[in-house]
């Protein structure tokens, strides 16, 4: 989980080392910087390779998080890669991840899209908890009915029709009988 941060740090540190001679200031001794960060020069190529691996993983993660999974989605995912300068390990990882996505996507029924992240669910529960805080006397179980209003597109007309169709007394009765 921390690899990308460390790779970026290493690449930025190498950039500083590469530009030392162009710096007019002598406040910080170039020798001190080289003494502390010079060891990174031995990792210049591995850092490029690790960056490519991170990029492949991030591309797949973003695709699945934002698009979900469906039959055949691996073709669209494959089109999202630029293979021109991939290292062999990154190409191998890319193929492994595409195969994994394909395998998971085959679990979807025809014309079905599976959610690829729990972020939506976490967001709904967070909103539900905030809603429950405002109405703490009603309790969480009855407030679960508010989930539909959180995730649906609502208009004043929709809300009006819903409130006219189902009176509050009926909702309370349903909740007592169903939720306890």
């Amino acid at each position: 989980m921390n690899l990308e941060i460390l790779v970026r740090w290493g690449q930025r540190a190498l950039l500083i080392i590469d530009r030392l001679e162009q710096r007019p200031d002598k406040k910080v001794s170039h020798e001190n910087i080289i003494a502390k960060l010079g060891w990174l020069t031995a990792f210049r190529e591995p850092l490029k390779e690790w960056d490519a691996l991170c990029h492949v993983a991030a591309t797949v993660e973003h695709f699945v998080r934002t698009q979900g999974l469906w039959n055949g989605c691996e073709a669209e995912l494959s089109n999202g890669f630029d293979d021109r300068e991939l290292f062999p390990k990154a190409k191998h990882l890319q193929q492994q991840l595409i195969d994994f996505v394909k395998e998971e996507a085959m679990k979807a029924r025809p014309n079905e899209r599976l959610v690829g992240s729990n972020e939506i669910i976490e967001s709904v529960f967070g909103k539900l908890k905030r809603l429950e805080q405002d109405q703490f006397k009603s309790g969480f179980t009855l407030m679960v009915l508010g989930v539909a209003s959180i995730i649906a597109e609502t208009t004043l007309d929709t809300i009006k029709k819903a409130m006219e169709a189902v009176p509050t007394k009926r909702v309370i009765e349903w909740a007592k009988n169903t939720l306890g």
Side-chain angles (χ1 to χ4, degrees):
M1 299 298 282
N2 297 328
L3 182 61
E4 188 174 5
I5 294 167
L6 295 172
V7 169
R8 297 272 185 265
W9 174 84
Q11 289 175 320
R12 285 193 308 265
L14 285 172
L15 194 60
I16 290 170
I17 291 170
D18 293 344
R19 294 182 178 170
L20 274 179
E21 295 306 317
Q22 299 169 359
R23 292 182 61 177
D25 67 319
K26 298 292 180 185
K27 292 178 185 174
V28 179
S29 167
H30 293 182
E31 294 81 25
N32 284 344
I33 293 173
I34 297 296
K36 292 185 186 216
L37 299 176
W39 59 273
L40 280 170
T41 58
F43 292 95
R44 189 178 301 275
E45 286 306 307
L47 282 168
K48 288 178 186 176
E49 187 172 23
W50 295 335
D51 182 54
L53 289 165
C54 288
H55 179 71
V56 166
T59 299
V60 174
E61 179 189 24
H62 178 74
F63 178 86
V64 172
R65 269 185 46 236
T66 60
Q67 303 299 314
L69 299 169
W70 68 94
N71 286 311
C73 70
E74 70 279 356
E76 189 173 322
L77 172 60
S78 296
N79 291 335
F81 286 103
D82 181 9
D83 290 342
R84 287 179 288 177
E85 294 188 27
L86 277 185
F87 290 84
K89 287 181 183 177
K91 283 184 181 182
H92 181 69
L93 176 63
Q94 176 183 318
Q95 192 55 55
Q96 284 182 313
L97 291 174
I98 289 171
D99 291 345
F100 177 75
V101 166
K102 180 179 181 178
E103 184 179 324
E104 292 300 307
M106 289 183 352
K107 296 174 183 176
R109 293 183 207 114
N111 299 317
E112 179 182 39
R113 189 178 292 237
L114 302 175
V115 176
S117 170
N118 69 345
E119 291 171 339
I120 295 167
I121 296 166
E122 294 294 330
S123 175
V124 169
F125 278 120
K127 289 178 181 179
L128 182 59
K129 287 177 183 180
R130 283 195 302 278
L131 182 63
E132 189 271 335
Q133 285 177 347
D134 294 341
Q135 304 293 324
F136 69 92
K137 291 182 183 177
S138 300
F140 188 76
T141 54
L142 183 57
M143 294 306 292
V144 78
L145 297 174
V147 170
S149 67
I150 293 170
I151 60 174
E153 286 189 40
T154 54
T155 63
L156 289 176
D157 188 49
T158 307
I159 294 168
K160 181 181 180 210
K161 285 179 182 176
M163 292 182 80
E164 288 172 349
V166 184
T168 303
K169 287 180 184 181
R170 205 164 127 204
V171 172
I172 292 170
E173 182 181 314
W174 174 88
K176 284 179 184 176
N177 293 333
T178 308
L179 302 174

PDB file of all heavy atoms in Angstrom, residues 90-112:
ATOM      1  N   ALA A  90       5.945  -5.424 -15.559  1.00  0.00           N
ATOM      2  CA  ALA A  90       4.706  -4.648 -15.591  1.00  0.00           C
ATOM      3  C   ALA A  90       3.738  -5.237 -16.616  1.00  0.00           C
ATOM      4  O   ALA A  90       2.528  -5.310 -16.369  1.00  0.00           O
ATOM      5  CB  ALA A  90       4.992  -3.185 -15.902  1.00  0.00           C
ATOM      6  N   LYS A  91       4.258  -5.687 -17.761  1.00  0.00           N
ATOM      7  CA  LYS A  91       3.396  -6.342 -18.759  1.00  0.00           C
ATOM      8  C   LYS A  91       2.810  -7.624 -18.187  1.00  0.00           C
ATOM      9  O   LYS A  91       1.638  -7.936 -18.404  1.00  0.00           O
ATOM     10  CB  LYS A  91       4.186  -6.653 -20.031  1.00  0.00           C
ATOM     11  CG  LYS A  91       4.420  -5.455 -20.901  1.00  0.00           C
ATOM     12  CD  LYS A  91       5.112  -5.833 -22.192  1.00  0.00           C
ATOM     13  CE  LYS A  91       5.355  -4.585 -23.026  1.00  0.00           C
ATOM     14  NZ  LYS A  91       5.981  -4.887 -24.303  1.00  0.00           N
ATOM     15  N   HIS A  92       3.638  -8.360 -17.444  1.00  0.00           N
ATOM     16  CA  HIS A  92       3.172  -9.604 -16.834  1.00  0.00           C
ATOM     17  C   HIS A  92       2.083  -9.306 -15.797  1.00  0.00           C
ATOM     18  O   HIS A  92       1.037  -9.983 -15.773  1.00  0.00           O
ATOM     19  CB  HIS A  92       4.349 -10.350 -16.204  1.00  0.00           C
ATOM     20  CG  HIS A  92       3.980 -11.652 -15.576  1.00  0.00           C
ATOM     21  ND1 HIS A  92       3.580 -12.745 -16.314  1.00  0.00           N
ATOM     22  CD2 HIS A  92       3.928 -12.026 -14.285  1.00  0.00           C
ATOM     23  CE1 HIS A  92       3.303 -13.745 -15.496  1.00  0.00           C
ATOM     24  NE2 HIS A  92       3.502 -13.327 -14.256  1.00  0.00           N
ATOM     25  N   LEU A  93       2.308  -8.322 -14.941  1.00  0.00           N
ATOM     26  CA  LEU A  93       1.306  -7.937 -13.951  1.00  0.00           C
ATOM     27  C   LEU A  93       0.028  -7.480 -14.639  1.00  0.00           C
ATOM     28  O   LEU A  93      -1.075  -7.841 -14.223  1.00  0.00           O
ATOM     29  CB  LEU A  93       1.839  -6.833 -13.034  1.00  0.00           C
ATOM     30  CG  LEU A  93       0.835  -6.291 -12.009  1.00  0.00           C
ATOM     31  CD1 LEU A  93       0.416  -7.383 -11.023  1.00  0.00           C
ATOM     32  CD2 LEU A  93       1.418  -5.089 -11.277  1.00  0.00           C
ATOM     33  N   GLN A  94       0.175  -6.693 -15.690  1.00  0.00           N
ATOM     34  CA  GLN A  94      -0.982  -6.205 -16.429  1.00  0.00           C
ATOM     35  C   GLN A  94      -1.822  -7.380 -16.933  1.00  0.00           C
ATOM     36  O   GLN A  94      -3.045  -7.398 -16.757  1.00  0.00           O
ATOM     37  CB  GLN A  94      -0.522  -5.347 -17.609  1.00  0.00           C
ATOM     38  CG  GLN A  94      -1.641  -4.871 -18.499  1.00  0.00           C
ATOM     39  CD  GLN A  94      -1.119  -4.090 -19.683  1.00  0.00           C
ATOM     40  OE1 GLN A  94      -0.206  -3.278 -19.540  1.00  0.00           O
ATOM     41  NE2 GLN A  94      -1.676  -4.323 -20.843  1.00  0.00           N
ATOM     42  N   GLN A  95      -1.180  -8.371 -17.517  1.00  0.00           N
ATOM     43  CA  GLN A  95      -1.914  -9.524 -18.040  1.00  0.00           C
ATOM     44  C   GLN A  95      -2.565 -10.329 -16.925  1.00  0.00           C
ATOM     45  O   GLN A  95      -3.703 -10.773 -17.052  1.00  0.00           O
ATOM     46  CB  GLN A  95      -1.006 -10.421 -18.881  1.00  0.00           C
ATOM     47  CG  GLN A  95      -1.773 -11.466 -19.673  1.00  0.00           C
ATOM     48  CD  GLN A  95      -2.847 -10.837 -20.560  1.00  0.00           C
ATOM     49  OE1 GLN A  95      -2.566  -9.969 -21.372  1.00  0.00           O
ATOM     50  NE2 GLN A  95      -4.099 -11.270 -20.392  1.00  0.00           N
ATOM     51  N   GLN A  96      -1.849 -10.482 -15.816  1.00  0.00           N
ATOM     52  CA  GLN A  96      -2.425 -11.195 -14.667  1.00  0.00           C
ATOM     53  C   GLN A  96      -3.681 -10.479 -14.151  1.00  0.00           C
ATOM     54  O   GLN A  96      -4.682 -11.126 -13.831  1.00  0.00           O
ATOM     55  CB  GLN A  96      -1.407 -11.311 -13.537  1.00  0.00           C
ATOM     56  CG  GLN A  96      -0.341 -12.346 -13.768  1.00  0.00           C
ATOM     57  CD  GLN A  96       0.601 -12.432 -12.573  1.00  0.00           C
ATOM     58  OE1 GLN A  96       1.074 -11.418 -12.062  1.00  0.00           O
ATOM     59  NE2 GLN A  96       0.859 -13.654 -12.125  1.00  0.00           N
ATOM     60  N   LEU A  97      -3.615  -9.172 -14.060  1.00  0.00           N
ATOM     61  CA  LEU A  97      -4.753  -8.410 -13.551  1.00  0.00           C
ATOM     62  C   LEU A  97      -5.919  -8.415 -14.536  1.00  0.00           C
ATOM     63  O   LEU A  97      -7.083  -8.507 -14.123  1.00  0.00           O
ATOM     64  CB  LEU A  97      -4.327  -6.979 -13.201  1.00  0.00           C
ATOM     65  CG  LEU A  97      -3.410  -6.869 -11.988  1.00  0.00           C
ATOM     66  CD1 LEU A  97      -2.927  -5.432 -11.809  1.00  0.00           C
ATOM     67  CD2 LEU A  97      -4.091  -7.361 -10.725  1.00  0.00           C
ATOM     68  N   ILE A  98      -5.627  -8.336 -15.813  1.00  0.00           N
ATOM     69  CA  ILE A  98      -6.694  -8.413 -16.820  1.00  0.00           C
ATOM     70  C   ILE A  98      -7.368  -9.783 -16.747  1.00  0.00           C
ATOM     71  O   ILE A  98      -8.602  -9.889 -16.798  1.00  0.00           O
ATOM     72  CB  ILE A  98      -6.143  -8.122 -18.231  1.00  0.00           C
ATOM     73  CG1 ILE A  98      -5.789  -6.638 -18.353  1.00  0.00           C
ATOM     74  CG2 ILE A  98      -7.160  -8.521 -19.310  1.00  0.00           C
ATOM     75  CD1 ILE A  98      -5.035  -6.272 -19.608  1.00  0.00           C
ATOM     76  N   ASP A  99      -6.569 -10.834 -16.608  1.00  0.00           N
ATOM     77  CA  ASP A  99      -7.134 -12.191 -16.472  1.00  0.00           C
ATOM     78  C   ASP A  99      -7.994 -12.305 -15.228  1.00  0.00           C
ATOM     79  O   ASP A  99      -9.067 -12.921 -15.247  1.00  0.00           O
ATOM     80  CB  ASP A  99      -6.019 -13.241 -16.441  1.00  0.00           C
ATOM     81  CG  ASP A  99      -5.300 -13.389 -17.769  1.00  0.00           C
ATOM     82  OD1 ASP A  99      -5.824 -12.909 -18.804  1.00  0.00           O
ATOM     83  OD2 ASP A  99      -4.197 -13.977 -17.774  1.00  0.00           O
ATOM     84  N   PHE A 100      -7.535 -11.712 -14.126  1.00  0.00           N
ATOM     85  CA  PHE A 100      -8.302 -11.739 -12.882  1.00  0.00           C
ATOM     86  C   PHE A 100      -9.624 -10.998 -13.044  1.00  0.00           C
ATOM     87  O   PHE A 100     -10.685 -11.487 -12.622  1.00  0.00           O
ATOM     88  CB  PHE A 100      -7.486 -11.140 -11.733  1.00  0.00           C
ATOM     89  CG  PHE A 100      -8.250 -11.064 -10.446  1.00  0.00           C
ATOM     90  CD1 PHE A 100      -8.475 -12.205  -9.688  1.00  0.00           C
ATOM     91  CD2 PHE A 100      -8.754  -9.862  -9.990  1.00  0.00           C
ATOM     92  CE1 PHE A 100      -9.195 -12.143  -8.491  1.00  0.00           C
ATOM     93  CE2 PHE A 100      -9.468  -9.786  -8.802  1.00  0.00           C
ATOM     94  CZ  PHE A 100      -9.690 -10.931  -8.051  1.00  0.00           C
ATOM     95  N   VAL A 101      -9.580  -9.828 -13.665  1.00  0.00           N
ATOM     96  CA  VAL A 101     -10.797  -9.049 -13.896  1.00  0.00           C
ATOM     97  C   VAL A 101     -11.757  -9.850 -14.774  1.00  0.00           C
ATOM     98  O   VAL A 101     -12.962  -9.904 -14.508  1.00  0.00           O
ATOM     99  CB  VAL A 101     -10.463  -7.673 -14.521  1.00  0.00           C
ATOM    100  CG1 VAL A 101     -11.707  -7.000 -15.091  1.00  0.00           C
ATOM    101  CG2 VAL A 101      -9.810  -6.770 -13.481  1.00  0.00           C
ATOM    102  N   LYS A 102     -11.218 -10.492 -15.804  1.00  0.00           N
ATOM    103  CA  LYS A 102     -12.058 -11.307 -16.698  1.00  0.00           C
ATOM    104  C   LYS A 102     -12.739 -12.427 -15.914  1.00  0.00           C
ATOM    105  O   LYS A 102     -13.942 -12.669 -16.059  1.00  0.00           O
ATOM    106  CB  LYS A 102     -11.218 -11.894 -17.820  1.00  0.00           C
ATOM    107  CG  LYS A 102     -12.002 -12.752 -18.787  1.00  0.00           C
ATOM    108  CD  LYS A 102     -11.128 -13.298 -19.888  1.00  0.00           C
ATOM    109  CE  LYS A 102     -11.936 -14.143 -20.856  1.00  0.00           C
ATOM    110  NZ  LYS A 102     -11.099 -14.649 -21.955  1.00  0.00           N
ATOM    111  N   GLU A 103     -11.978 -13.105 -15.068  1.00  0.00           N
ATOM    112  CA  GLU A 103     -12.515 -14.207 -14.268  1.00  0.00           C
ATOM    113  C   GLU A 103     -13.624 -13.715 -13.331  1.00  0.00           C
ATOM    114  O   GLU A 103     -14.674 -14.349 -13.205  1.00  0.00           O
ATOM    115  CB  GLU A 103     -11.386 -14.844 -13.463  1.00  0.00           C
ATOM    116  CG  GLU A 103     -11.796 -16.048 -12.659  1.00  0.00           C
ATOM    117  CD  GLU A 103     -10.623 -16.650 -11.894  1.00  0.00           C
ATOM    118  OE1 GLU A 103      -9.493 -16.643 -12.415  1.00  0.00           O
ATOM    119  OE2 GLU A 103     -10.851 -17.107 -10.767  1.00  0.00           O
ATOM    120  N   GLU A 104     -13.397 -12.585 -12.671  1.00  0.00           N
ATOM    121  CA  GLU A 104     -14.400 -12.041 -11.756  1.00  0.00           C
ATOM    122  C   GLU A 104     -15.624 -11.521 -12.523  1.00  0.00           C
ATOM    123  O   GLU A 104     -16.754 -11.664 -12.064  1.00  0.00           O
ATOM    124  CB  GLU A 104     -13.799 -10.931 -10.900  1.00  0.00           C
ATOM    125  CG  GLU A 104     -12.766 -11.418  -9.906  1.00  0.00           C
ATOM    126  CD  GLU A 104     -13.317 -12.421  -8.912  1.00  0.00           C
ATOM    127  OE1 GLU A 104     -14.347 -12.120  -8.270  1.00  0.00           O
ATOM    128  OE2 GLU A 104     -12.743 -13.511  -8.789  1.00  0.00           O
ATOM    129  N   ALA A 105     -15.387 -10.937 -13.693  1.00  0.00           N
ATOM    130  CA  ALA A 105     -16.488 -10.381 -14.483  1.00  0.00           C
ATOM    131  C   ALA A 105     -17.401 -11.478 -15.023  1.00  0.00           C
ATOM    132  O   ALA A 105     -18.592 -11.234 -15.256  1.00  0.00           O
ATOM    133  CB  ALA A 105     -15.934  -9.538 -15.626  1.00  0.00           C
ATOM    134  N   MET A 106     -16.870 -12.676 -15.202  1.00  0.00           N
ATOM    135  CA  MET A 106     -17.686 -13.785 -15.699  1.00  0.00           C
ATOM    136  C   MET A 106     -18.761 -14.181 -14.684  1.00  0.00           C
ATOM    137  O   MET A 106     -19.702 -14.897 -15.023  1.00  0.00           O
ATOM    138  CB  MET A 106     -16.808 -14.986 -16.060  1.00  0.00           C
ATOM    139  CG  MET A 106     -15.990 -14.723 -17.308  1.00  0.00           C
ATOM    140  SD  MET A 106     -14.949 -16.053 -17.957  1.00  0.00           S
ATOM    141  CE  MET A 106     -14.981 -17.341 -16.797  1.00  0.00           C
ATOM    142  N   LYS A 107     -18.652 -13.712 -13.455  1.00  0.00           N
ATOM    143  CA  LYS A 107     -19.656 -13.991 -12.432  1.00  0.00           C
ATOM    144  C   LYS A 107     -20.920 -13.156 -12.637  1.00  0.00           C
ATOM    145  O   LYS A 107     -21.960 -13.438 -12.054  1.00  0.00           O
ATOM    146  CB  LYS A 107     -19.087 -13.743 -11.041  1.00  0.00           C
ATOM    147  CG  LYS A 107     -17.940 -14.679 -10.695  1.00  0.00           C
ATOM    148  CD  LYS A 107     -17.301 -14.320  -9.370  1.00  0.00           C
ATOM    149  CE  LYS A 107     -16.113 -15.236  -9.090  1.00  0.00           C
ATOM    150  NZ  LYS A 107     -15.409 -14.848  -7.856  1.00  0.00           N
ATOM    151  N   ALA A 108     -20.818 -12.122 -13.461  1.00  0.00           N
ATOM    152  CA  ALA A 108     -21.971 -11.263 -13.730  1.00  0.00           C
ATOM    153  C   ALA A 108     -22.899 -11.961 -14.719  1.00  0.00           C
ATOM    154  O   ALA A 108     -22.450 -12.629 -15.651  1.00  0.00           O
ATOM    155  CB  ALA A 108     -21.520  -9.916 -14.298  1.00  0.00           C
ATOM    156  N   ARG A 109     -24.176 -11.790 -14.503  1.00  0.00           N
ATOM    157  CA  ARG A 109     -25.167 -12.314 -15.449  1.00  0.00           C
ATOM    158  C   ARG A 109     -25.159 -11.436 -16.693  1.00  0.00           C
ATOM    159  O   ARG A 109     -24.665 -10.313 -16.665  1.00  0.00           O
ATOM    160  CB  ARG A 109     -26.546 -12.301 -14.794  1.00  0.00           C
ATOM    161  CG  ARG A 109     -26.664 -13.266 -13.643  1.00  0.00           C
ATOM    162  CD  ARG A 109     -28.098 -13.253 -13.081  1.00  0.00           C
ATOM    163  NE  ARG A 109     -28.022 -13.644 -11.692  1.00  0.00           N
ATOM    164  CZ  ARG A 109     -28.315 -12.867 -10.665  1.00  0.00           C
ATOM    165  NH1 ARG A 109     -28.737 -11.650 -10.858  1.00  0.00           N
ATOM    166  NH2 ARG A 109     -28.186 -13.311  -9.431  1.00  0.00           N
ATOM    167  N   PRO A 110     -25.752 -11.909 -17.790  1.00  0.00           N
ATOM    168  CA  PRO A 110     -25.841 -11.066 -18.995  1.00  0.00           C
ATOM    169  C   PRO A 110     -26.516  -9.728 -18.674  1.00  0.00           C
ATOM    170  O   PRO A 110     -27.508  -9.691 -17.940  1.00  0.00           O
ATOM    171  CB  PRO A 110     -26.695 -11.905 -19.957  1.00  0.00           C
ATOM    172  CG  PRO A 110     -26.474 -13.317 -19.505  1.00  0.00           C
ATOM    173  CD  PRO A 110     -26.309 -13.243 -18.008  1.00  0.00           C
ATOM    174  N   ASN A 111     -25.957  -8.677 -19.175  1.00  0.00           N
ATOM    175  CA  ASN A 111     -26.460  -7.311 -18.985  1.00  0.00           C
ATOM    176  C   ASN A 111     -26.451  -6.864 -17.526  1.00  0.00           C
ATOM    177  O   ASN A 111     -27.191  -5.960 -17.150  1.00  0.00           O
ATOM    178  CB  ASN A 111     -27.870  -7.150 -19.564  1.00  0.00           C
ATOM    179  CG  ASN A 111     -27.884  -7.423 -21.040  1.00  0.00           C
ATOM    180  OD1 ASN A 111     -27.005  -6.979 -21.772  1.00  0.00           O
ATOM    181  ND2 ASN A 111     -28.864  -8.185 -21.498  1.00  0.00           N
ATOM    182  N   GLU A 112     -25.616  -7.483 -16.712  1.00  0.00           N
ATOM    183  CA  GLU A 112     -25.491  -7.086 -15.309  1.00  0.00           C
ATOM    184  C   GLU A 112     -24.112  -6.479 -15.093  1.00  0.00           C
ATOM    185  O   GLU A 112     -23.131  -6.944 -15.646  1.00  0.00           O
ATOM    186  CB  GLU A 112     -25.658  -8.310 -14.396  1.00  0.00           C
ATOM    187  CG  GLU A 112     -25.513  -7.992 -12.922  1.00  0.00           C
ATOM    188  CD  GLU A 112     -25.642  -9.230 -12.028  1.00  0.00           C
ATOM    189  OE1 GLU A 112     -25.125 -10.303 -12.404  1.00  0.00           O
ATOM    190  OE2 GLU A 112     -26.259  -9.106 -10.969  1.00  0.00           O
TER     191      GLU A 112
END
